[in-house]
Amino acid sequence: MPVQHPILNNFTAGELSPRMAGRVDLDQYHAGAAEILNMMVLPQGGATRRSGSYHVAATKANATTRLKRFVASDRAAYMLVFGDYCLRFVRNRGLLLSGGAPLELATPWPAAVLRELVMTQSADVMFITHGTTAPRKLSRTAVDVFAIETAVFDNGPWCTENTGDTGTAPTDTSGGSGSSGGQGTLGYDPNNGAGGEGADSGSDAGGGSDAGQGGESGGAEGGGGDGGGDGGE
């Protein structure tokens, strides 16, 4: 039986898992490959050899660096070069210069932690975080003007902290035309846990009250008094 060699001209499914072997019933099987090495898949379906690297300049003191893309727009893209407590910029196949010298910003991160930096970008601003320092904000204000500063977060995303010990009890408006409500004070006893003294008062249309002293302490409810009368609707 002759061996068939079908034409493979679509690799948009990328590399396939070994568990996909034999799944000829799936469209992805016919649009993928077992391995794509040093190739870039084109949107049209084919693949081309990846481009090579371009030597721009030596790093500062030939030290270890980390590269990170900074794309502000379709016409303004940079490569950030994080070094030992410093940051430089590459654009248009060359170092970004300021006054004839490479533009350089001081950073709080040594070379040993550069791989641990977490970065996210929005337009001309990039936030950079690491567990050992406060978050930093990198801003671009012009083609060759960058600044880095400590990020300050105002009004959110958290709610206002409740530093008091007073709360408002819910109001019960069920039943007849009477009304019930009031405020209760929550206390804390360092010896007995949550609880303390509480009060609840209300009145029916016909007149009546219910007041008690106690609370909940150590899983037990305190006793309270009950007095008053029921009124008509």
Side-chain angles (χ1 to χ4, degrees):
M1 182 175 180
V3 178
Q4 296 182 356
H5 298 281
I7 298 176
L8 301 178
N9 57 5
N10 183 12
F11 301 97
T12 54
E15 289 190 358
L16 303 179
S17 166
R19 296 184 179 182
M20 290 281 290
R23 292 301 308 271
V24 295
D25 57 315
L26 298 178
D27 294 337
Q28 291 86 347
Y29 180 86
H30 303 282
E35 183 181 25
I36 301 177
L37 182 63
N38 288 331
M39 303 287 288
M40 297 180 62
V41 178
L42 302 176
Q44 295 79 7
T48 183
R49 187 182 299 275
R50 69 169 179 83
S51 59
S53 58
Y54 181 86
H55 179 75
V56 175
T59 61
K60 184 178 181 180
N62 290 325
T64 301
T65 59
R66 178 182 175 181
L67 304 180
K68 179 66 176 180
R69 289 182 179 179
F70 186 97
V71 181
S73 66
D74 294 339
R75 297 185 178 182
Y78 304 80
M79 184 67 72
L80 306 181
V81 184
F82 288 89
D84 190 39
Y85 296 106
C86 66
L87 172 61
R88 289 183 173 183
F89 306 86
V90 172
R91 185 170 186 263
N92 294 335
R93 294 191 172 187
L95 288 172
L96 193 63
L97 303 179
S98 176
L103 175 62
E104 182 176 315
L105 301 179
T107 66
W109 307 292
V113 304
L114 294 181
R115 298 297 176 185
E116 302 172 3
L117 298 180
V118 178
M119 294 171 262
T120 184
Q121 181 190 351
S122 176
D124 291 327
V125 177
M126 174 178 284
F127 291 94
I128 310 171
T129 62
H130 189 267
T132 60
T133 62
R136 295 300 196 274
K137 182 176 73 172
L138 177 66
S139 305
R140 186 189 81 117
T141 56
V143 175
D144 56 351
V145 179
F146 283 83
I148 189 169
E149 59 184 348
T150 302
V152 179
F153 302 98
D154 297 328
N155 300 327
W158 48 84
C159 297
T160 303
E161 181 181 3
N162 182 10
T163 58
D165 59 356
T166 301
T168 301
T171 301
D172 183 8
T173 59
S174 61
S177 60
S179 62
S180 175
Q183 286 189 339
T185 301
L186 303 178
Y188 177 77
D189 188 341
N191 296 322
N192 297 323
E197 182 176 345
D200 186 10
S201 63
S203 61
D204 292 334
S209 62
D210 186 341
Q213 179 176 351
E216 182 174 344
S217 173
E221 293 187 358
D226 185 7
D230 293 330
E233 294 183 355

